[in-house]
Amino acid sequence: MKILFVAGDPKPERWTVPIKQQLPSAEIFVWDPDGPAVDADYAIVWQPPAALFEREKHLKAVFNLGAGIDGLLNVANLPEHLTVVRLEDAGMAVQMAEYVLHQLLEASREMETYREQQRTGVWKIHRPIKRSEWPVGVMGLGHIGTRVARTLADLDYQVSGWARTPRRLEGVSTYAGPEQLCDFLPSTRVLVNTLPLTDETRDIINYELLSQLQPGAVLINVGRGEHLVEDDLLRALDEGILHRASLDVFRKEPLPEAHPFWQRQEITITPHISARTLRDATIEQITGKIRDHAAGQAISGVVDINRGY
Ligand code: NDP
């Protein structure tokens, strides 16, 4: 079995050595832009060049080193019937739950206010949190959104969730499809986006959507930058529709120096770190699936290319 690693990592051996340990009988190759075809059976990729699919004509499956495959689907020449497999959780969901909880608590527990008080030596106690005032709505109830929603529901926040198809989740009110978005939004004050980027979800967080949230709304975007219409976010902040936003993903990354978001007190910016790819868990998941696929067994996490996720 031949496996080609195509991820532009300056130290590919960090991946290829443990992959070889997991699959000792496999031959592992690192992508060489000027090299010949290796006739790979499988490719493990992150944002691969289009040349990959021109050169390697017998790929049985491609494993993406991330949960979101929007970047991969944009690659020219992606064969229509190729089996594309995304990461499923692999340690990312718990990180995302932590990140979202942290951003929620910043608002619901008034942490900014207490930090400000500390700066000026003020000991002042504000009224305790009323959870009923902080209903959370999670867009996307997949591997990541489900973990986020469950974590917050376990802490007694009122949580609702919205997906494309009906989902049941204990302790979480669920909504599905565009027709129920207008019920989901008014039940939400803290909107958390964990959607994949598809033709249907691009630009979904716009002025009209933000206007339907409860007063004092908070946005936490950990999905993709292209879900958010950036000018609409600024307008919603200016008009007081939105109280604050925590953004981990941006239309252009790194966020350009001159971008207006940097100047806004109400926006918390993090550099796409809400859920990092964990090498050990990722390699274990992918090599396990390669083993199963090679043995003719069904594997989970296969992307529906037409659906976009
Ligand atoms: P999943 O595929 O497991 O879940 C996607 C969820 O989104 C599903 O519940 C799906 O609905 C829902 N969904 C998809 N399209 C629509 C739509 N048009 N309307 C309503 N709901 C929709 O993905 P993951 O949870 O694993 O990951 C989600 C995304 O999180 C990734 O695609 C990526 O963009 C982002 N991400 C960001 C990271 C970061 O560091 N910032 C790290 C990892 C992921 P249904 O259940 O009906 O299929």
Side-chain angles (χ1 to χ4, degrees), residues 145-213:
T146 296
R147 181 75 188 246
V148 169
R150 280 216 184 103
T151 301
L152 304 183
D154 280 348
L155 289 168
D156 295 346
Y157 281 91
Q158 288 175 14
V159 182
S160 51
W162 179 70
R164 200 174 55 84
T165 56
R167 303 267 149 195
R168 281 170 71 90
L169 206 56
E170 206 186 315
V172 177
S173 319
T174 52
Y175 300 84
E179 57 288 349
Q180 289 186 3
L181 190 57
C182 55
D183 300 319
F184 165 76
L185 294 170
S187 72
T188 295
R189 177 170 177 189
V190 180
L191 184 70
V192 181
N193 174 37
T194 72
L195 288 169
L197 182 65
T198 67
D199 289 344
E200 281 180 22
T201 64
R202 183 173 284 103
D203 296 331
I204 191 167
I205 309 173
N206 51 33
Y207 183 79
E208 194 199 334
L209 177 141
L210 293 170
S211 307
Q212 294 173 65
L213 298 173

Side-chain angles (χ1 to χ4, degrees), residues 132-151:
S132 58
E133 292 177 359
W134 294 96
V136 181
V138 181
M139 299 172 89
L141 290 175
H143 291 83
I144 288 173
T146 296
R147 181 75 188 246
V148 169
R150 280 216 184 103
T151 301

Side-chain angles (χ1 to χ4, degrees), residues 225-242:
E226 285 174 63
H227 285 132
L228 174 65
V229 180
E230 296 185 338
D231 285 344
D232 286 11
L233 176 89
L234 293 170
R235 182 177 163 202
L237 285 169
D238 288 340
E239 294 181 8
I241 287 171
L242 198 62

Side-chain angles (χ1 to χ4, degrees), residues 98-108 218 220 244 246 268 270:
E98 252 176 8
Y99 179 95
V100 170
L101 175 62
H102 179 102
Q103 301 304 329
L104 166 65
L105 296 180
E106 278 287 321
S108 69
V218 173
I220 302 174
R244 54 180 292 146
S246 297
T268 297
T270 51

Side-chain angles (χ1 to χ4, degrees), residues 1-5 25-29 37-44 52-53 56-63 82-83 290 293-294:
M1 176 203 302
K2 292 180 183 172
I3 299 175
L4 183 56
F5 181 76
S25 62
E27 286 180 80
I28 318 289
F29 300 85
V38 300
D39 200 22
D41 299 293
Y42 298 102
I44 299 175
L52 169 64
F53 302 108
E56 297 297 331
K57 295 293 187 193
H58 302 113
L59 288 169
K60 294 173 183 151
V62 167
F63 291 84
L82 184 64
T83 298
I290 290 178
H293 192 272

